[in-house]
Amino acid sequence: MALRDTHVTMAHGGGGRAMRDLIDEVFTSVFQPPGSEDQARLTGTALQEPGARLAFTTDSFVVTPLEFPGGDIGKLAVCGTVNDLAVGGARPLWLSAAFIIEEGCEIALLRRIVATMAAEADKAGVRIVTGDTKVVERGKADGLFITTAGVGVIPPGRDIGAARIRPGDVVIVNGVLGDHGAAILAARGDLALSTDLASDCAGLGHLMQAALAAAPGISAARDCTRGGLASALNEMAAEAGLAVEIQETALPLRPEVVGVCEILGLDPLYLANEGRLVLFCPEAEATAALAALRSLPEGRDSTVIGRASQGQAGRVTLRTAFGGARIVDMLVGEQLPRIC
Amino acid sequence: MNAVVIRVRGQVQGVGFRPFVWQLAQEFGLTGRVWNDAEGVGIEAAGPGLDGFVAALTARAPKLARVDAVEVATFGGALPPGFEIAESRGRGAETRVTPDAATCAACATEIRGTGRRQGYAFTNCTHCGPRFTILNGLPYDRAQTTMAAFPMCPDCAAEYRDPADRRFHAQPVACPACGPRLWLEVAGQDMPGDAVALAADLLRAGAVLAIKGLGGFHLACDAANPVAVATLRHRKYRPSKPLALMAQEAALQGVVVLSGADLALLRDPAAPIVLAPSRQILPEVVAPGMAELGVMLPYTPLHHLLCDAFGGVLVMTSGNLSGEPQVTGNAEAREKLSGFADAFLLHDREIARRLDDSVERSTPPMVLRRARGRVPGTLALPPGFGTAPQVLALGGQMKGAICLTKNGQALPGHHLGDLDDALCADEFGKAVADYRALFDHRPELVAVDAHPGYRATQAGKAMGLPVTEVWHHHAHMAACLAENGWPLEGGNVAAIVLDGTGLGPDGTLWGGEVLLGDYRGFERRFWLKPAPLIGGDKAAREPWRNALVRLDQAGLPDWADALFPGRPRDLARQAAAKGINAPMSSSAGRLFDAVAACLDICAEGQSYEGEAAMRLEALTRHVPDQGCGYDLTLHGTEFDPALLWPAMRNDLRHGLPTEVIAERFHAGLGQAFAGAARQLVESGAAQAVVLSGGCFQNTRLLSAVEAGLRGLPVLSHRLTPANDGGLALGQAVVAAARSLGGAESR
Ligand SMILES: [Fe+3]
Ligand SMILES: [Mg+2]
Ligand SMILES: [Zn+2]
Ligand SMILES: [Zn+2]
C-alpha cells in the first residue's frame, strides 16, 4: 500500500505520485473500470435492438452529514442517478463518478463511501466505468461533493412520461414518505430526536422494471427527491395538463416522521426522499402494478394515494381527512409563515 | 317654461330610482323623461314644482340608493306631454348591480298577509331581495340572473311593467305561481307538507338543518339547546369557534344587549352579523369564552318565515366542510353536508355567487368581514388619486379579497377565504373576472403583496401585466389612509400596524410596527423585539411555542418549563437555536398568544385563528382601566417585553385575577405603541396616527391605543377590515401613488 496518509492533502490533487496512489487505491481498485484510458468504451447488445433508445442523466450530490442512518453520500450518488434513469423507463447500465474532495477529508471515510458506491452499483446491476477526482482547499467545499452521470437503455416500444398521463390514472407511491428528509434533519441538527429514523435511500431500477413488466400501461413515473412528493406531483400535473388529487388518509407516513413534522412545523409532502417513486397507471393495471411493486423489498409498502383527473391543469390538491381540498404547491424557496 | 336636464350620480341603478323619479314627477306636476346611462340617471323635466322635485331627489331617495351628486343645467329641447321612463342610453348602461338587500318592511308585511305572496319565501321588490348572489352576467336583467329559469306569470309581469308598483323593473320578482319553490328534504325524500313548519318542528326537536340561503348554505339549530349545538359542533369539527345567531329582533334582545347603534346596523339593508354583548343566557357552547355574540336579523323571506315559525334564536353558521367555503349548490350540499345535517331546507333558485355573511360592529364602527350586502360597493379614492391608472390589487392569503381602482373610485371585493383551499382559489379567479366586468375594468397595473408564497401574489405575477409588489404592513397603513380620505399629498403619518405576520423588506416577518411614511413609501421606526416562530405557521396554531421563546428570551426558562411540562420543549428550543424553520418575527399577534398561553388560555392549540387573542380580550370586558399597564420598554427602536413576564408572574403569584392581568397587558401594549407614535407626531415628523392590522379588531386594544393618542389626529378602519381583508385597497393605492410619481415626502 503506497497510500499512507490518513487525510486528503492538496498533494493528492496535484497530479503527481500522491494523486496516482489515491486514485488507484481508493477508487479504481474498487470500481475496476475497463481499460486504463480516461474514457469508457462500452459495448452492449441492448443498444443494438432496433428502436431501443439511450437514456443519459447526471446529478450532483451534496449532503451534511456525509454519513447518516441508512446511507451515505456515495449511496445517494449511485441510487440518485440509477433512479433518474429507472423512472424514465430505462434499464440503468453504466455510471461515471466525479469527486470534489475538500482538503482534510478523512481517507478512511472516502474508502467507506467508495465501498458503498460499489456495493450499491452491484445491487443495481450497473457498473461505474469512469471517474474523476479533484482536491480543493479547506473551506472551498463541504467535505465531499460527488457528481454521477448514468447511461441506460430504453427498450423498443417503451415510452413513458408525464405527458402520457390520462385522466383516471391512479397515483401510486412505493412506500412511506419523508424518511430521508427527516433522518437527515435528525442526523444534522443534534436535535434531541430519539428516533430510529433511517434514510429510505435505495436504488429503484429493479422495482421499476418489475412494475413495467406487470403493468406495461404505466404512463409515467418520477423519483420524489428534493422537494418531496409535492414537487414531483406538481411537475407531473403541469406537464400532463391535468389535475391530481391525493388523499390525506391514504398517505403512507411513519408516525416518527409525522411527529418530527408536527414539532418542527414541516410538511412531510415536501420532505426529501431518496428511494421513493411516484407512478401513474391506468386503474385497470393498478392491482398488477401494486402486486409487482410489493413483491420487492423497496416496494413492500406500495399503495395508491390518489388519482389524475380533468380539472384545472397543473393543480395538485390534498383531500383532507375532514373532506376539504387544499392546494399543494410547488415549494417557492424557503417556506415563510403566511398566517396573519 | 324653464326646462332642465338633471344628472344624478352615485348608486342609482337597480334600486328603483327611475320609478321613484316618475312618482316624484307626478307629485310635483312635471313633464319630461328619466333614463339610465353609463353615468347614472339622467332626467329632462319642466314644470312648476321643479325646485321641490330636485330637492326631493336626494332627500327622499330610495333606501338602497346612494346619491353622490345632483347636477342641474338648462335644457332647450322638446319634452313629451307627460312624464315617461325612457330606454337606457349608451354603452355600459345598467351594467351596475347593487348589493343583495334584506327583505324590506313592505315585503315582510306582504308575506304575513293574505295576498298571493302569503308565506312565499322568495318575495322581493325593487327595495329588497337578491342581486349580486343571483347575477350570472351583465347587464343586470332577469335573463342574466339565476331567475331566468322562472318565466314571470302575467301578474308578476304586470307589476314589473308598472312604474307605480314597487316591483317596477325588480329583476327577481316572483310569486308562488311562477317563482322558485321551497321544500324540505330528509334522506333524499321531499317531505309533504309546509316545508317551513316542518323545518321549525325539526329545529325544536334538536335537529341540525342545512338551509339554502342567499349566498350559500347555513347549518342551523336551536341555539338554546346545548345538545343540538354540541352535535352541530361535533359534526362540523368546530370545537369552539363562535357560531352566528339569527332571530327576530325581540328574540335577539333576549340574548344580547343591543344599543341604538346596534339596532340601526342590524336593520341596515346589508343585514350583517353584528357583534353585541352577550346576556349570558344562551349555553356557553354557542361561543365559548366570548363576551360577545354575533347576531343577525332574518334577511330573506325564507328566514323571516322560519324565524316566525321557530320563535327562538337559531344558530346560523356557514354550511361547509372544515377549511372550505360554504356550499352553494343543492347537489353539493347533499354530498358534503349529509353528515352534518338531519334535513335540508332547499329551493330551486341557484346561487350564482358565494357570499358569506358580513361581520360588523357598531361601536366603535368596524367591518370584520366584508361580504354579502356590502358588495359590490364603491369607495371614493382620496384627493390626488383622480388620474390614477386602473389598478387590480390582489390582496392577502388567509383572508383573500381583491380591489380595483378606476376613475377615482375603488371597488373592494368580497371576502374569499383562505386561498390555499381549492374552492376559494377558484372563487378568487371568478372574483377577478366578475369585478373587472362590473367595473368595465382594464387593469394597467397589478398590485400584490411582496410575499412570494401568497397564492394571490403568484397569480398576479402570472398575469403578464406590470406588477407592483407592496410590503404587507405598508398596504395595511395605506388601506387605512385611503378609507379615511387622506390626500395623496397629505404628508407623512405614523402608522401603528399590529397583526399576525407579513413579510418585511428585511426578510423577517413583521407584525408589531410603527411605520413612518405616506402612500409612496415608508420606513420602519419602532418595532416589537423579534422572536423566533418555532415551526413557522405552526407557531400561530400553538400559543405555547410563543410563550416559550418569549420566556426564554426574558431569562425565565424555568417558568416555561413549569407552564408547559408536556410539550416538546427541548426540540422546540433546539429548532429555535439552530434556526430550523424558526424565522424571526416582530408579530404582535404572537405576543398575544404568548400572554394567553401563560394564563393557560389555548396554550396547547387554537381551534380557530385568533382564538387565544379573542379570549384574552373577552376577559377584559368587565375590567375597568387599571391605569398601570405592563411595561413594554422601548430600547432604542425595539419594544422589549422582557419586563412584562416577571410582572405577570408576580401578579399571578399574588392571586390577581386573570381578567386584570389581561387588562394590564392590553393597556401596556397600547401605551407603548401610542407613546412611540405620539413622539413622531409631536416632533413634527408625522401629521397623524394610523391604526391598522388585524389586532385592531380588538376593541380593548383599540381603546387603549386611542387613550394614549388623545389629542392627536387618529385614523382607524371603519369601512374596510383592519385585517388582511383590507390589504388589497392598500396595495391598490400604493401602486397608484407610485405610478403617479412625485417624491416620497420623508
Ligand atoms: Fe396582516
Ligand atoms: Mg438528475
Ligand atoms: Zn321588498
Ligand atoms: Zn308570478
Side-chain angles (χ1 to χ4, degrees):
Chain A
M1 274 233 274
L3 189 66
R4 292 184 196 288
D5 307 277
T6 58
H7 293 81
V8 175
T9 65
M10 288 311 292
H12 290 118
R17 178 82 218 169
M19 180 169 130
R20 191 74 262 155
D21 290 345
L22 179 77
I23 291 172
D24 284 349
E25 280 194 36
V26 177
F27 297 100
T28 44
S29 64
V30 180
F31 294 150
Q32 296 171 323
S36 60
E37 303 294 335
D38 195 16
Q39 62 178 221
R41 292 166 189 176
L42 309 168
T43 47
T45 50
L47 286 179
Q48 281 135 32
E49 267 187 83
R53 289 182 298 160
L54 211 56
F56 183 25
T57 185
T58 187
D59 233 331
S60 294
F61 297 83
V62 294
V63 65
T64 314
L66 294 173
E67 294 180 298
F68 46 81
D72 60 28
I73 189 172
K75 187 173 178 185
L76 283 186
V78 171
C79 294
T81 294
V82 162
N83 294 349
D84 275 351
L85 292 171
V87 294
R91 189 154 63 81
L93 292 175
W94 302 292
L95 297 187
S96 74
F99 298 79
I100 293 175
I101 307 164
E102 186 187 8
E103 178 187 6
C105 181
E106 198 193 342
I107 285 173
L109 172 70
L110 265 187
R111 288 187 195 274
R112 290 199 298 277
I113 287 169
V114 167
T116 358
M117 291 180 77
E120 267 326 300
D122 216 41
K123 245 197 263 177
V126 298
R127 286 167 59 213
I128 297 170
V129 291
T130 187
D132 181 52
T133 64
K134 291 282 181 299
V135 178
V136 297
E137 284 165 41
R138 216 177 277 277
K140 297 268 168 75
D142 192 5
L144 174 66
F145 299 156
I146 304 178
T147 298
T148 50
V151 173
V153 173
I154 303 172
R158 178 176 295 163
D159 188 13
I160 68 173
R164 304 186 65 86
I165 300 171
R166 291 288 162 264
D169 279 6
V170 296
V171 185
I172 296 174
V173 291
N174 68 317
V176 291
L177 299 167
D179 282 14
H180 177 76
I184 294 295
L185 208 53
R188 175 197 304 165
D190 320 309
L191 291 173
L193 280 169
S194 52
T195 74
D196 304 327
L197 279 177
S199 166
D200 53 31
C201 184
L204 303 174
H206 300 307
L207 189 71
M208 196 59 205
Q209 294 299 317
L212 283 165
I218 286 174
S219 44
R222 199 148 298 184
D223 52 341
C224 311
T225 53
R226 200 171 34 173
L229 176 70
S231 302
L233 285 178
N234 267 281
E235 284 170 17
M236 297 177 91
E239 279 172 52
L242 294 173
V244 172
E245 181 164 285
I246 55 175
Q247 307 289 327
E248 186 174 36
T249 49
L251 293 176
L253 292 168
R254 228 182 270 288
E256 297 94 307
V257 172
V258 174
V260 171
C261 285
E262 278 283 304
I263 296 165
L264 299 179
L266 302 174
D267 185 343
L269 289 178
Y270 293 93
L271 284 185
N273 306 275
E274 287 297 343
R276 291 293 170 259
L277 56 77
V278 54
L279 61 79
F280 285 72
C281 94
E283 181 150 38
E285 293 189 4
T287 313
L290 276 177
L293 290 166
R294 287 173 182 161
S295 69
L296 292 172
E298 58 272 29
R300 199 183 52 224
D301 299 323
S302 296
T303 185
V304 172
I305 58 165
R307 187 182 291 276
S309 67
Q310 296 291 5
Q312 190 164 329
R315 180 184 279 180
V316 179
T317 49
L318 175 74
R319 184 62 62 179
T320 69
F322 295 145
R326 309 286 297 170
I327 298 177
V328 177
D329 259 332
M330 199 78 153
L331 203 55
V332 190
E334 190 190 354
Q335 206 152 35
L336 288 169
R338 297 179 303 171
I339 292 180
C340 185
Chain B
M1 193 163 72
N2 305 338
V4 294
V5 55
I6 303 168
R7 157 70 46 208
V8 187
R9 298 181 196 278
Q11 185 172 287
V12 289
Q13 293 181 2
V15 293
F17 208 85
R18 288 173 304 161
F20 157 71
V21 170
W22 182 87
Q23 279 157 11
L24 277 187
Q26 312 296 320
E27 186 182 327
F28 287 94
L30 307 187
T31 60
R33 57 177 73 89
V34 57
W35 68 92
N36 277 343
D37 63 19
E39 293 178 75
V41 164
I43 303 165
E44 290 160 358
L50 256 183
D51 290 347
F53 172 81
V54 171
L57 284 176
T58 309
R60 288 162 53 189
K63 204 171 175 186
L64 299 183
R66 191 194 73 229
V67 177
D68 294 340
V70 177
E71 298 153 12
V72 185
T74 55
F75 177 67
L79 292 176
F83 196 91
E84 65 185 32
I85 293 178
E87 289 293 300
S88 298
R89 294 183 187 175
R91 199 184 154 273
E94 292 200 71
T95 56
R96 300 279 301 277
V97 61
T98 54
D100 301 277
T103 307
C104 72
C107 287
T109 303
E110 194 176 356
I111 58 171
R112 293 182 178 100
T114 53
R116 65 192 176 98
R117 291 194 178 86
Q118 177 183 5
Y120 185 54
F122 306 94
T123 302
N124 65 81
C125 73
T126 313
H127 308 299
C128 73
R131 297 286 189 275
F132 199 34
T133 52
I134 57 167
L135 181 78
N136 276 326
L138 294 169
Y140 173 64
D141 62 35
R142 191 180 182 100
Q144 300 266 40
T145 70
T146 60
M147 283 301 292
F150 305 94
M152 274 183 233
C153 70
D155 289 344
C156 286
E159 291 167 335
Y160 181 87
R161 281 192 306 264
D162 177 5
D165 195 283
R166 76 171 202 278
R167 295 197 164 85
F168 177 74
H169 276 245
Q171 303 303 341
V173 64
C175 76
C178 65
R181 188 179 75 88
L182 181 76
W183 71 94
L184 184 85
E185 199 172 290
V186 180
Q189 296 298 309
D190 186 344
M191 304 306 281
D194 179 351
V196 170
L198 290 171
D201 286 343
L202 283 171
L203 289 165
R204 268 189 293 271
V208 175
L209 259 63
I211 300 174
K212 189 178 191 177
L214 206 50
F217 273 76
H218 284 114
L219 287 171
C221 72
D222 179 357
N225 180 340
V227 179
V229 179
T231 302
L232 190 160
R233 283 200 178 282
H234 174 73
R235 291 180 185 169
K236 220 187 147 187
Y237 307 106
R238 192 168 169 169
S240 57
K241 192 171 180 182
L243 300 170
L245 305 171
M246 178 185 278
Q248 297 291 4
E249 216 171 279
L252 285 186
Q253 297 272 19
V255 298
V256 286
V257 182
L258 296 172
S259 66
D262 290 335
L263 284 170
L265 187 55
L266 283 166
R267 292 171 189 157
D268 187 282
I273 294 171
V274 175
L275 301 181
S278 171
R279 292 189 191 274
Q280 310 291 341
I281 303 257
L282 289 178
E284 173 74 4
V285 65
V286 169
M290 292 298 121
E292 291 180 318
L293 297 174
V295 298
M296 59 184 152
L297 292 175
Y299 56 82
T300 69
L302 169 55
H303 294 150
H304 275 287
L305 295 168
L306 187 63
C307 287
D308 285 356
F310 178 70
V313 179
L314 288 173
V315 164
M316 283 290 254
T317 184
S318 58
N320 60 321
L321 295 179
S322 178
E324 282 200 336
Q326 64 185 148
V327 165
T328 55
N330 290 353
E332 187 192 7
R334 291 186 191 103
E335 181 199 325
K336 293 185 174 170
L337 303 181
S338 53
F340 302 175
D342 302 303
F344 291 81
L345 191 53
L346 299 177
H347 60 72
D348 53 1
R349 185 179 70 205
E350 277 180 50
I351 296 171
R353 187 168 290 88
R354 172 181 292 119
L355 280 181
D356 291 289
D357 294 317
S358 291
V359 183
E360 305 184 1
R361 186 192 290 284
S362 78
T363 319
M366 59 172 74
V367 173
L368 296 99
R369 183 165 75 197
R370 193 173 181 281
R372 176 191 50 75
R374 297 299 181 197
V375 290
T378 55
L379 202 76
L381 289 175
F385 283 97
T387 58
Q390 297 190 27
V391 181
L392 170 61
L394 296 177
Q397 169 66 24
M398 301 288 289
K399 292 183 181 66
I402 64 167
C403 181
L404 286 64
T405 63
K406 182 183 168 182
N407 293 347
Q409 300 281 316
L411 179 63
H414 59 274
H415 170 80
L416 297 165
D418 178 357
L419 300 187
D420 263 355
D421 177 83
L423 290 177
C424 293
D426 291 342
E427 213 64 21
F428 171 84
K430 184 169 156 156
V432 171
D434 277 355
Y435 286 99
R436 280 188 58 185
L438 277 175
F439 221 22
D440 194 15
H441 192 261
R442 286 179 199 79
E444 298 157 68
L445 261 183
V446 175
V448 298
D449 194 280
H451 195 310
Y454 281 16
R455 193 166 305 283
T457 298
Q458 293 164 5
K461 288 177 177 172
M463 281 182 172
L465 288 164
V467 173
T468 302
E469 291 188 12
V470 182
W471 296 107
H472 190 94
H473 295 89
H474 190 206
H476 272 308
M477 166 183 136
C480 188
L481 284 175
E483 80 143 86
N484 281 283
W486 185 262
L488 175 59
E489 307 300 346
N492 276 335
V493 293
I496 303 177
V497 188
L498 306 178
D499 67 353
T501 50
L503 188 62
D506 63 352
T508 72
L509 294 142
W510 294 7
E513 326 295 318
V514 180
L515 308 180
L516 177 68
D518 61 8
Y519 287 108
R520 296 185 181 92
F522 68 98
E523 51 189 58
R524 186 192 198 195
R525 294 302 288 268
F526 306 100
W527 55 90
L528 185 64
K529 180 177 180 169
L533 300 172
I534 301 171
D537 274 334
K538 197 88 186 175
R541 302 206 167 86
E542 298 184 359
W544 71 270
R545 294 168 184 257
N546 305 292
L548 180 87
V549 293
R550 286 295 182 187
L551 293 179
D552 283 4
Q553 209 176 46
L556 297 170
D558 55 317
W559 193 22
D561 292 338
L563 282 171
F564 315 114
R567 301 284 96 205
R569 300 186 311 281
D570 290 350
L571 258 177
R573 284 179 167 132
Q574 286 165 23
K578 293 179 190 303
I580 298 172
N581 201 23
M584 296 303 285
S585 176
S586 56
S587 168
R590 300 297 81 81
L591 186 67
F592 270 89
D593 292 351
V595 171
C598 291
L599 299 179
D600 199 21
I601 296 166
C602 303
E604 302 212 342
Q606 321 194 54
S607 78
Y608 59 92
E609 191 204 344
E611 180 178 9
M614 283 169 68
R615 284 177 183 253
L616 203 57
E617 179 196 358
L619 282 182
T620 69
R621 170 66 49 177
H622 300 291
V623 185
D625 190 343
Q626 305 290 298
C628 55
Y630 292 127
D631 194 359
L632 264 87
T633 324
L634 186 58
H635 288 305
T637 54
E638 286 190 349
F639 300 100
D640 189 345
L643 295 179
L644 159 68
W645 314 108
M648 249 177 81
R649 190 186 200 183
N650 204 39
D651 281 353
L652 278 170
R653 281 180 176 157
H654 285 86
L656 242 73
T658 49
E659 285 83 356
V660 172
I661 294 174
E663 193 283 332
R664 293 192 64 191
F665 167 63
H666 282 82
L669 188 65
Q671 281 156 9
F673 278 85
R678 172 176 285 281
Q679 187 185 316
L680 290 174
V681 177
E682 287 177 349
S683 70
Q687 312 298 310
V689 182
V690 164
L691 310 181
S692 190
C695 294
F696 282 108
Q697 295 170 105
N698 178 328
T699 53
R700 190 73 193 220
L701 177 67
L702 180 61
S703 63
V705 172
E706 283 176 341
L709 294 171
R710 207 153 284 143
L712 303 182
V714 175
L715 311 177
S716 58
H717 287 268
R718 289 162 297 118
L719 303 170
T720 63
N723 61 44
D724 282 9
L727 273 184
L729 172 63
Q731 292 166 356
V733 291
V734 168
R738 292 205 188 129
S739 79
L740 288 170
E744 292 181 19
S745 49
R746 264 167 303 108

